[in-house]
Amino acid sequence: GYFYSRWRKCIWSSHDLSDIVFIDNYIFNKDVFIQFNSTVGEFVGYTELGVYNARAWNNNPGQLQSESAQVETVCKRNADIDQQTITDKS
């Protein structure tokens, strides 16, 4: 059989969340074939299929804008909650 998954994460290291990065990986059989990184600002393909999809997705301004917005809508909101929880416990 085949295994497909999507792995999304937010990475930050400072309290002011100015360096937060959103990464969205598309994985097929345990290999990332396409990735969006908010620092890069576009999709990057790592396989033939990934390069083909990245080219198509990068030509769709709505999709790029939606992925980039995840930094604000998902990452910063949840990181703020996590940061407060950690600070309250110490």
Side-chain angles (χ1 to χ4, degrees):
Y2 298 103
F3 179 74
Y4 172 80
S5 65
R6 187 173 176 188
W7 178 69
R8 305 167 92 191
K9 71 177 184 175
C10 304
I11 302 170
W12 75 95
S13 62
S14 66
H15 293 287
D16 64 0
L17 306 178
S18 62
D19 63 344
I20 201 158
V21 178
F22 172 72
I23 298 175
D24 191 1
N25 290 309
Y26 294 80
I27 303 162
F28 182 72
N29 284 348
K30 299 182 183 179
D31 290 325
V32 174
F33 69 95
I34 190 167
Q35 179 184 74
F36 178 84
N37 183 321
S38 64
T39 304
V40 177
E42 64 180 18
F43 291 94
V44 176
Y46 296 104
T47 65
E48 187 176 340
L49 176 63
V51 170
Y52 175 82
N53 285 331
R55 193 173 298 125
W57 295 353
N58 287 332
N59 286 326
N60 182 345
Q63 189 165 8
L64 282 177
Q65 190 175 30
S66 175
E67 287 285 327
S68 295
Q70 298 297 313
V71 171
E72 293 295 326
T73 58
V74 175
C75 292
K76 285 192 178 177
R77 184 180 344 178
N78 290 325
D80 221 10
I81 293 167
D82 292 348
Q83 202 71 33
Q84 289 175 5
T85 303
I86 292 166
T87 306
D88 290 346
K89 301 284 183 199
S90 48

